[in-house]
Amino acid sequence: MYFVKKATLTLLGLILVLTLAACGGSSESSSSSNGESNSESSSSSGIQEMTIKISHVVAENTPKNKAAEAMAKHIEENSNGKIKVQVYPNGQLFDDKTEVKNLQANNVQFIMPDMSKMVGMNPAFNVPSLPFVFSTNEAAYKFWDGEKGQEILKSLKSEGIIGLRMWPNGPKQITNTKRPINSPDDLEGLKLRVQGGQVLASIFKNLNAGPLQLPFGQLYTALEQGTVDGQVNTFSNIATKKLGDVQKYITTNWGAARVDYALLTNQKFWNSLNEETKKVVQAGIDHGTKKARELAEKLNQEAFETIKKRGKMEIHELTPEERKVFQKALQPVYEEFKDEVGADVIKAAKAASAK
């Protein structure tokens, strides 16, 4: 009996040793496997595998969508296929009322809303609506790529959002059915549709016109029926919507306000990227930004040529002297919003236009 017990204990001891050895081997193997994975992650081929979603609310043939597609393609190609990027135009994923909340929830990783939609989080996003603040597209790019513009874009971190770059649509022009707009006096009494925002409304109140906010989808009918006399918009929007069919006059070189977009990302997503992955994504962002700016300028110029060829609107281009008259008339807007937008922000924006 003694020998049986001894043999049993010996056998149990042997099983325990073998079990521990096996566990040790398994642990070593697991550690080695993880080590290889981490090594790959920090090496030149250590790009994280993921799917990125980009959502916006405009059509496929717009500069915004084409730039988003260029950004997506650049990221996919330079990640060796490890990163998949899906672009959802036309509000297919989220509309303009829900896209910001879904970005905050990380249901989408990139959106590009009109900056006027972000003024509730930071009034400094009113900058594109300030009258004549940027003399050229290049001045707008200089501001948003510069210290103060980047400060505004990065100001949304408390909301779980990081602003990255400015993507443009361009300067707005004035159209109407009543008369040519050559001076501030010509706007008196006109009912004009505006996109929204207190700054743009203040511009026309200071010019004794009546601003009325209407969705873009209702604009053509409102002009056709005389609900409003005119509107302000970019060349591309005026041409693609064929507003010349219901508007007689257009004043160009206006530029008293702009349509610009903010490229935004989710903060948790951005912080989850390792250095190599972030480098690839950032390169895609830079590529998309360049494409957005090239296409916006090209499309607006082509749209202006289309408007001229159609010949349905009488065109008046403001001279530098005429613009100065408007600038003087709209100085009260700066005083009104100086504290809200920030005197330092306004100063930096104006400085971007200085030669």
Side-chain angles (χ1 to χ4, degrees):
M1 180 65 70
Y2 170 77
F3 291 106
V4 171
K5 287 183 178 178
K6 186 174 181 181
T8 301
L9 289 172
T10 302
L11 179 61
L12 288 172
L14 179 61
I15 291 171
L16 179 61
V17 169
L18 290 172
T19 301
L20 289 172
C23 289
S26 175
S27 174
E28 184 178 347
S29 173
S30 175
S31 175
S32 173
S33 174
N34 288 338
E36 285 182 8
S37 175
N38 290 335
S39 173
E40 286 178 3
S41 192
S42 59
S43 73
S44 61
S45 60
I47 297 168
Q48 296 158 278
E49 293 188 18
M50 65 183 68
T51 298
I52 293 172
K53 296 178 181 178
I54 303 175
S55 176
H56 65 83
V57 299
V58 299
E60 290 92 335
N61 62 343
T62 58
K64 186 192 286 191
N65 185 68
K66 290 183 181 297
E69 289 179 340
M71 171 179 160
K73 184 179 179 181
H74 194 278
I75 291 171
E76 288 187 341
E77 289 181 349
N78 287 278
S79 69
N80 298 319
K82 290 188 174 182
I83 303 176
K84 307 298 182 186
V85 187
Q86 301 167 351
V87 180
Y88 296 88
N90 281 316
Q92 292 173 358
L93 199 59
F94 305 112
D95 62 24
D96 55 2
K97 293 181 180 179
T98 61
E99 62 179 357
V100 173
K101 288 184 179 179
N102 278 286
L103 179 71
Q104 290 173 305
N106 201 26
N107 294 328
V108 61
Q109 286 68 56
F110 291 97
I111 62 172
M112 301 84 88
D114 186 320
M115 287 188 183
S116 66
K117 295 174 185 174
M118 308 307 298
V119 298
M121 293 183 180
N122 185 350
F125 280 102
N126 273 306
V127 167
S129 296
L130 291 171
F132 300 101
V133 71
F134 297 122
S135 58
T136 61
N137 287 321
E138 288 70 25
Y141 305 154
K142 182 179 178 182
F143 171 78
W144 288 108
D145 292 346
E147 181 180 352
K148 189 58 65 174
Q150 285 295 303
E151 181 182 307
I152 296 169
L153 288 169
K154 299 296 190 294
S155 69
L156 304 176
K157 290 183 179 180
S158 63
E159 304 286 347
I161 295 171
I162 297 177
L164 298 166
R165 302 296 295 273
M166 174 273 248
W167 286 14
N169 187 324
K172 297 175 182 178
Q173 320 300 331
I174 306 175
T175 69
N176 83 102
T177 56
K178 298 293 185 181
R179 51 185 172 266
I181 305 299
N182 303 330
S183 72
D185 292 340
D186 296 325
L187 283 161
E188 186 171 356
L190 292 183
K191 295 176 293 182
L192 297 174
R193 179 265 180 181
V194 296
Q195 285 89 339
Q198 294 177 327
V199 175
L200 197 58
S202 179
I203 285 176
F204 291 107
K205 286 177 181 177
N206 275 274
L207 297 173
N208 298 313
L212 179 65
Q213 295 183 20
L214 285 173
F216 188 58
Q218 299 176 18
L219 177 56
Y220 188 95
T221 301
L223 292 169
E224 188 176 37
Q225 295 178 349
T227 304
V228 290
D229 302 312
Q231 58 89 54
V232 288
N233 231 310
T234 60
F235 282 129
S236 60
N237 287 340
I238 293 168
T240 56
K241 289 297 180 180
K242 297 186 177 179
L243 299 187
D245 292 348
V246 289
Q247 296 279 268
K248 187 175 181 180
Y249 304 99
I250 181 170
T251 298
T252 68
N253 199 28
W254 162 250
R258 294 178 53 90
V259 177
D260 288 324
Y261 308 117
L263 177 63
L264 309 176
T265 191
N266 175 275
Q267 185 172 205
K268 269 186 191 175
F269 159 75
W270 190 254
N271 291 341
S272 74
L273 304 180
N274 64 26
E275 287 304 311
E276 187 174 356
T277 306
K278 189 174 289 186
K279 183 178 179 181
V280 171
V281 175
Q282 183 63 61
I285 289 168
D286 294 340
H287 180 71
T289 299
K290 182 180 179 182
K291 185 66 68 174
R293 295 177 181 182
E294 289 173 353
L295 289 172
E297 293 185 19
K298 181 175 181 287
L299 183 59
N300 273 309
Q301 188 56 44
E302 289 176 353
F304 186 32
E305 294 302 318
T306 297
I307 291 168
K308 288 191 285 188
K309 287 178 182 177
R310 285 176 182 164
K312 293 188 174 183
M313 285 193 284
E314 181 181 312
I315 300 171
H316 175 72
E317 182 176 353
L318 290 180
T319 66
E321 291 73 24
E322 288 170 336
R323 278 172 61 94
K324 286 179 182 177
V325 175
F326 276 102
Q327 288 172 333
K328 184 177 180 180
L330 293 173
Q331 280 308 302
V333 175
Y334 284 95
E335 289 301 315
E336 182 181 353
F337 291 95
K338 180 176 64 176
D339 294 334
E340 187 174 343
V341 174
D344 58 331
V345 172
I346 294 173
K347 182 179 178 181
K350 289 183 174 180
S353 292
K355 294 181 179 180

